[in-house]
Amino acid sequence: QTMASNASDRPGKDESTTATVAALDTVLFRFATVDDAKFPKAVERVLPKVLPMLEGGSAKVREKVMEVLRHINNRMKEFSEMKLPVASLLGIYATTPSILSKTFSLVYVAKGFPRLPPADRALLLPKLLTGVGAIKSAPLKAQALHIFASVLPGFDWHNDSGASAAALGFLAGGGKGKQAEADARASAASSTALADPDRSSAIAYLLDILLYSTNFVGNSKGLPCPGLSPEAFKQLSQLIASTPCCPLPERPGGAAAALKNSSNNKPTSAAATLVALKRGALGLATSGVLSP
């Protein structure tokens, strides 16, 4: 009876798969024919709709979704300032049970954050970090935390650390550190405090970034970086090389120009990216937001 039931269900599933693949073919055709002026809006509309399709059990649908994503990626190279629907993508990341959908959502979130105004980045960071402490997949957890770390250099810790700290007040712990107490009222209206496991995961990842180095005795011999496991070192190296970093705020004589290429889809040296990540982590650490 079960076999008969499965057999009777299959035609309906096959028809659904065929219809979905046909719809994705239409999407591909429209992307191929849309002019440059309309392409960014098309991506903003379509991307949140196709990513959840990676959840399904049909290999044909997943392959067609990947074809759509490859087309988007190739054309995005010509649109360095193109905005991405980061809020919608974070919604998919937070609600989908599919690791594949979560992973690809974060790929585009990472591309989209540097293209947002700093104020918008601060508003969306809590959505990125909420629940991160409970993620079982180590690569997915590191991916989310690295995006958080890559956003920090975009805040002006040098000239306006108070405002930057207030924008990240959701990271404040339950205690009353000096800066946390001073910024409590400013951040209350726009931020919701993270749960302790999420906050602890974020802090631990920033500590890994501060410990990370490729200039240590034994690196050429394959020895691990002091303070990091070989797995953490390898994963962090890959994320530094592949994840866009928010550019540093412009200031006379500053180093912001070195990070401009990161958000413009041009090669940026891992060394420059690492410097920016460390500056962002240290800026947050010295702001007092993380005080117990």
Side-chain angles (χ1 to χ4, degrees):
Q1 185 176 1
T2 301
M3 291 181 64
S5 175
N6 289 341
S8 64
D9 289 343
R10 196 173 301 123
K13 292 180 180 179
D14 290 343
E15 290 175 7
S16 176
T17 296
T18 301
T20 302
V21 170
L24 290 168
D25 275 327
T26 301
V27 169
L28 273 171
F29 174 76
R30 290 179 177 173
F31 268 135
T33 56
V34 71
D35 58 44
D36 287 350
K38 297 179 180 178
F39 177 71
K41 284 294 184 183
V43 172
E44 186 175 349
R45 183 176 64 255
V46 170
L47 195 56
K49 294 180 179 179
V50 300
L51 284 173
M53 294 181 184
L54 292 169
E55 300 174 17
S58 169
K60 290 182 179 179
V61 171
R62 288 197 299 272
E63 289 171 5
K64 189 60 65 175
V65 170
M66 295 304 297
E67 193 174 342
V68 172
L69 297 181
R70 282 194 294 271
H71 181 90
I72 290 174
N73 292 343
N74 287 334
R75 285 197 68 178
M76 272 184 63
K77 294 174 183 177
E78 305 300 322
F79 296 85
S80 61
E81 303 298 324
M82 188 179 85
K83 300 295 187 293
L84 291 172
V86 176
S88 298
L89 296 172
L90 285 172
I92 296 170
Y93 161 73
T95 58
T96 179
S98 165
I99 295 294
L100 189 60
S101 291
K102 286 180 182 290
T103 298
F104 274 94
S105 295
L106 288 183
V107 167
Y108 291 101
V109 167
K111 293 176 183 290
F113 257 119
R115 304 168 189 226
L116 292 175
D120 291 348
R121 298 174 199 158
L123 289 175
L124 291 172
L125 279 177
K127 295 182 179 180
L128 173 67
L129 292 177
T130 296
V132 73
I135 295 177
K136 302 298 183 185
S137 167
L140 182 66
K141 185 174 185 176
Q143 185 184 12
L145 291 169
H146 195 82
I147 294 172
F148 158 66
S150 73
V151 174
L152 296 180
F155 292 96
D156 192 350
W157 301 109
H158 181 77
N159 294 316
D160 201 3
S161 62
S164 298
L168 297 171
F170 63 89
L171 286 164
K176 289 293 183 181
K178 185 182 297 183
Q179 188 65 46
E181 186 174 7
D183 291 331
R185 290 189 298 274
S187 62
S190 60
S191 302
T192 301
L194 288 182
D196 285 343
D198 302 335
R199 181 176 182 272
S200 297
S201 295
I203 293 173
Y205 195 82
L206 295 180
L207 288 173
D208 283 351
I209 286 175
L210 293 175
L211 288 170
Y212 179 92
S213 174
T214 56
N215 185 25
F216 60 90
V217 176
N219 186 26
S220 60
K221 300 179 181 178
L223 297 177
C225 174
L228 295 177
S229 68
E231 294 78 13
F233 179 78
K234 180 180 179 180
Q235 192 169 62
L236 195 45
S237 298
Q238 293 170 345
L239 288 167
I240 289 170
S242 63
T243 305
C245 192
C246 289
L248 304 174
E250 294 282 0
R251 73 172 188 265
L259 267 294
K260 276 189 175 180
N261 288 338
S262 178
S263 58
N264 290 341
N265 294 322
K266 298 177 183 177
T268 303
S269 73
T273 300
L274 179 59
V275 168
L277 289 169
K278 288 180 180 285
R279 288 178 66 163
L282 286 171
L284 177 63
T286 57
S287 71
V289 171
L290 302 180
S291 299

